[in-house]
Coordinates of all heavy atoms in Angstrom, one line a residue:
L233 N -61.8 -54.6 -16.7 CA -61.9 -55.1 -15.3 C -60.5 -55.2 -14.8 O -59.6 -55.9 -15.4 CB -62.5 -56.5 -15.3 CG -62.5 -57.2 -13.9 CD1 -63.2 -56.5 -12.8 CD2 -63.1 -58.7 -14.1
L234 N -60.2 -54.6 -13.7 CA -58.9 -54.6 -13.0 C -59.0 -55.7 -11.9 O -59.8 -55.6 -11.0 CB -58.6 -53.3 -12.3 CG -57.3 -53.3 -11.5 CD1 -56.1 -53.6 -12.4 CD2 -57.1 -51.9 -10.9
A235 N -58.2 -56.8 -12.1 CA -58.2 -57.9 -11.1 C -56.9 -57.9 -10.3 O -55.8 -58.0 -10.9 CB -58.3 -59.2 -11.9
E236 N -57.0 -57.9 -9.0 CA -55.9 -58.1 -8.1 C -55.6 -59.6 -7.9 O -56.3 -60.2 -7.1 CB -56.1 -57.4 -6.8 CG -56.0 -55.9 -6.8 CD -55.9 -55.4 -5.4 OE1 -56.9 -55.5 -4.7 OE2 -54.9 -54.8 -5.1
T237 N -54.7 -60.1 -8.7 CA -54.5 -61.5 -8.6 C -53.1 -61.9 -8.0 O -52.6 -63.0 -8.1 CB -54.5 -62.1 -10.0 OG1 -53.5 -61.5 -10.8 CG2 -55.9 -61.9 -10.6
D238 N -52.5 -61.0 -7.2 CA -51.3 -61.3 -6.5 C -51.6 -62.3 -5.3 O -52.4 -62.0 -4.4 CB -50.8 -60.0 -5.9 CG -49.4 -60.2 -5.2 OD1 -49.0 -61.3 -5.0 OD2 -48.8 -59.1 -4.9
P239 N -51.0 -63.5 -5.4 CA -51.2 -64.4 -4.3 C -50.8 -64.0 -3.0 O -51.3 -64.5 -1.9 CB -50.4 -65.7 -4.8 CG -50.2 -65.5 -6.2 CD -50.1 -64.0 -6.4
A240 N -49.9 -63.0 -2.9 CA -49.5 -62.4 -1.6 C -50.6 -61.5 -1.0 O -50.5 -61.2 0.2 CB -48.2 -61.7 -1.7
G241 N -51.6 -61.2 -1.7 CA -52.6 -60.3 -1.3 C -52.7 -59.0 -2.0 O -51.7 -58.5 -2.6
G242 N -53.9 -58.4 -2.0 CA -54.1 -57.1 -2.7 C -53.9 -55.9 -1.8 O -53.8 -56.0 -0.6
D243 N -53.9 -54.7 -2.4 CA -53.7 -53.5 -1.7 C -54.9 -52.5 -1.8 O -55.1 -51.7 -0.9 CB -52.5 -52.7 -2.2 CG -51.2 -53.5 -2.0 OD1 -51.1 -54.1 -1.0 OD2 -50.3 -53.4 -2.9
L244 N -55.7 -52.7 -2.8 CA -56.7 -51.7 -3.1 C -57.7 -51.6 -2.0 O -58.3 -50.5 -1.7 CB -57.4 -51.9 -4.4 CG -56.5 -51.8 -5.7 CD1 -57.4 -52.1 -6.9 CD2 -55.9 -50.5 -5.7
V245 N -58.0 -52.7 -1.3 CA -59.0 -52.6 -0.2 C -58.6 -51.7 0.9 O -59.4 -51.2 1.7 CB -59.3 -54.1 0.3 CG1 -58.1 -54.6 1.1 CG2 -60.6 -54.1 1.1
Y246 N -57.3 -51.5 1.1 CA -56.8 -50.7 2.1 C -56.6 -49.2 1.7 O -56.5 -48.3 2.5 CB -55.4 -51.2 2.7 CG -55.5 -52.6 3.1 CD1 -54.9 -53.6 2.4 CD2 -56.2 -53.0 4.3 CE1 -54.9 -55.0 2.8 CE2 -56.3 -54.3 4.7 CZ -55.6 -55.3 3.9 OH -55.7 -56.6 4.4
R247 N -56.5 -49.0 0.4 CA -56.2 -47.7 -0.1 C -57.2 -47.0 -0.9 O -57.1 -45.8 -1.1 CB -54.9 -47.8 -1.0 CG -53.7 -48.5 -0.4 CD -52.6 -48.6 -1.3 NE -51.5 -49.3 -0.7 CZ -50.3 -49.5 -1.3 NH1 -50.1 -49.0 -2.6 NH2 -49.3 -50.1 -0.7
S248 N -58.3 -47.7 -1.2 CA -59.3 -47.0 -2.1 C -60.7 -47.1 -1.5 O -61.0 -48.1 -0.9 CB -59.3 -47.7 -3.5 OG -58.0 -47.7 -4.1
A249 N -61.5 -46.1 -1.8 CA -62.9 -46.1 -1.4 C -63.8 -46.7 -2.5 O -63.5 -46.6 -3.6 CB -63.4 -44.7 -1.1
A250 N -64.9 -47.3 -2.0 CA -65.8 -47.9 -3.0 C -66.7 -46.8 -3.5 O -66.7 -45.6 -3.0 CB -66.7 -48.9 -2.3
A251 N -67.5 -47.1 -4.5 CA -68.3 -46.1 -5.2 C -69.3 -45.5 -4.2 O -69.7 -44.4 -4.4 CB -69.0 -46.7 -6.4
H252 N -69.7 -46.2 -3.2 CA -70.7 -45.7 -2.2 C -70.1 -44.8 -1.2 O -70.7 -44.3 -0.3 CB -71.5 -46.8 -1.6 CG -70.6 -47.9 -1.0 ND1 -69.8 -47.7 0.1 CD2 -70.4 -49.2 -1.3 CE1 -69.2 -48.8 0.4 NE2 -69.5 -49.8 -0.4
G253 N -68.7 -44.6 -1.2 CA -68.1 -43.8 -0.4 C -67.4 -44.5 0.9 O -66.6 -43.9 1.5
G254 N -67.9 -45.7 1.1 CA -67.3 -46.5 2.2 C -66.2 -47.4 1.8 O -65.7 -47.3 0.6
P255 N -65.7 -48.2 2.6 CA -64.6 -49.1 2.2 C -65.0 -50.2 1.3 O -66.2 -50.6 1.2 CB -64.1 -49.7 3.6 CG -65.3 -49.6 4.5 CD -66.1 -48.4 4.0
L256 N -64.1 -50.8 0.6 CA -64.3 -51.9 -0.2 C -64.5 -53.1 0.7 O -64.0 -53.2 1.8 CB -63.2 -52.2 -1.2 CG -62.9 -51.2 -2.3 CD1 -61.6 -51.4 -2.9 CD2 -64.0 -51.3 -3.4
N257 N -65.3 -54.1 0.3 CA -65.6 -55.3 1.0 C -64.5 -56.3 0.7 O -64.4 -56.8 -0.4 CB -66.9 -55.9 0.6 CG -67.3 -57.1 1.4 OD1 -66.5 -57.6 2.2 ND2 -68.5 -57.5 1.3
P258 N -63.6 -56.6 1.7 CA -62.5 -57.6 1.4 C -63.0 -58.9 1.1 O -62.2 -59.8 0.6 CB -61.7 -57.5 2.7 CG -62.7 -57.1 3.8 CD -63.6 -56.2 3.1
N259 N -64.2 -59.3 1.4 CA -64.7 -60.7 1.2 C -65.4 -60.8 -0.1 O -65.8 -62.0 -0.5 CB -65.8 -61.0 2.3 CG -65.1 -61.0 3.7 OD1 -64.1 -61.5 3.9 ND2 -65.8 -60.4 4.7
T260 N -65.5 -59.8 -0.9 CA -66.1 -59.9 -2.3 C -65.0 -59.6 -3.2 O -64.4 -58.5 -3.3 CB -67.2 -58.8 -2.4 OG1 -68.2 -59.1 -1.5 CG2 -67.8 -58.9 -3.8
G261 N -64.6 -60.6 -4.0 CA -63.5 -60.5 -4.9 C -62.9 -61.9 -5.2 O -63.5 -62.8 -5.4
M262 N -61.5 -61.9 -5.1 CA -60.8 -63.2 -5.3 C -61.2 -64.2 -4.2 O -61.3 -65.4 -4.5 CB -59.3 -62.9 -5.3 CG -58.8 -62.1 -6.5 SD -58.9 -63.1 -8.1 CE -57.6 -64.3 -7.7
L263 N -61.5 -63.7 -3.0 CA -61.8 -64.7 -2.0 C -63.2 -65.3 -2.2 O -63.3 -66.5 -2.1 CB -61.9 -63.9 -0.6 CG -62.1 -64.7 0.6 CD1 -61.0 -65.8 0.8 CD2 -62.1 -63.8 1.9
S264 N -64.1 -64.5 -2.6 CA -65.5 -65.1 -2.8 C -65.6 -65.8 -4.1 O -66.4 -66.8 -4.3 CB -66.5 -63.9 -2.9 OG -66.3 -63.0 -4.0
I265 N -64.7 -65.5 -5.1 CA -64.8 -66.2 -6.4 C -64.2 -67.6 -6.3 O -64.5 -68.5 -7.1 CB -64.1 -65.4 -7.5 CG1 -64.7 -65.7 -8.8 CG2 -62.6 -65.8 -7.5 CD1 -64.2 -64.8 -9.9
A266 N -63.4 -67.9 -5.2 CA -62.9 -69.2 -5.0 C -63.9 -70.3 -4.9 O -63.8 -71.4 -5.6 CB -62.0 -69.2 -3.8
A267 N -65.0 -70.1 -4.1 CA -66.0 -71.0 -4.0 C -66.8 -71.2 -5.3 O -67.2 -72.3 -5.7 CB -67.0 -70.6 -2.9
T268 N -67.0 -70.2 -6.0 CA -67.7 -70.2 -7.3 C -67.0 -71.1 -8.3 O -67.5 -71.9 -9.0 CB -68.0 -68.8 -7.8 OG1 -68.8 -68.1 -6.9 CG2 -68.7 -68.9 -9.2
A269 N -65.7 -70.8 -8.4 CA -64.8 -71.4 -9.4 C -64.7 -72.9 -9.2 O -64.5 -73.7 -10.1 CB -63.4 -70.8 -9.4
R270 N -64.9 -73.4 -8.0 CA -64.8 -74.8 -7.8 C -66.0 -75.6 -8.3 O -65.9 -76.8 -8.6 CB -64.7 -75.1 -6.3 CG -63.4 -74.7 -5.7 CD -63.1 -75.2 -4.3 NE -61.8 -74.8 -3.8 CZ -60.6 -75.3 -4.2 NH1 -60.6 -76.3 -5.1 NH2 -59.5 -74.8 -3.7
R271 N -67.1 -74.9 -8.6 CA -68.3 -75.5 -9.2 C -68.3 -75.2 -10.7 O -69.3 -75.5 -11.4 CB -69.5 -75.0 -8.5 CG -69.6 -75.3 -7.1 CD -71.0 -74.9 -6.5 NE -71.2 -73.5 -6.5 CZ -70.9 -72.7 -5.6 NH1 -70.3 -73.1 -4.4 NH2 -71.1 -71.4 -5.6
G272 N -67.2 -74.6 -11.3 CA -67.2 -74.2 -12.7 C -67.4 -72.7 -12.7 O -68.2 -72.1 -12.0
L273 N -66.8 -72.0 -13.6 CA -66.8 -70.6 -13.7 C -67.1 -70.1 -15.1 O -66.3 -70.3 -16.1 CB -65.5 -70.0 -13.3 CG -65.4 -68.5 -13.1 CD1 -66.4 -68.0 -12.1 CD2 -64.0 -68.0 -12.8
V274 N -68.3 -69.5 -15.3 CA -68.7 -68.9 -16.6 C -68.1 -67.5 -16.5 O -68.2 -66.8 -15.5 CB -70.2 -68.9 -16.7 CG1 -70.6 -68.1 -18.0 CG2 -70.7 -70.3 -16.8

Side-chain angles (χ1 to χ4, degrees):
L233 169 62
L234 175 62
E236 281 195 297
T237 58
D238 186 349
D243 294 325
L244 295 183
V245 70
Y246 304 111
R247 302 180 181 182
S248 304
H252 53 68
L256 293 165
N257 183 351
N259 297 316
T260 300
M262 290 291 288
L263 186 61
S264 62
I265 210 170
T268 300
R270 292 196 179 281
R271 299 188 295 269
L273 185 63
V274 176

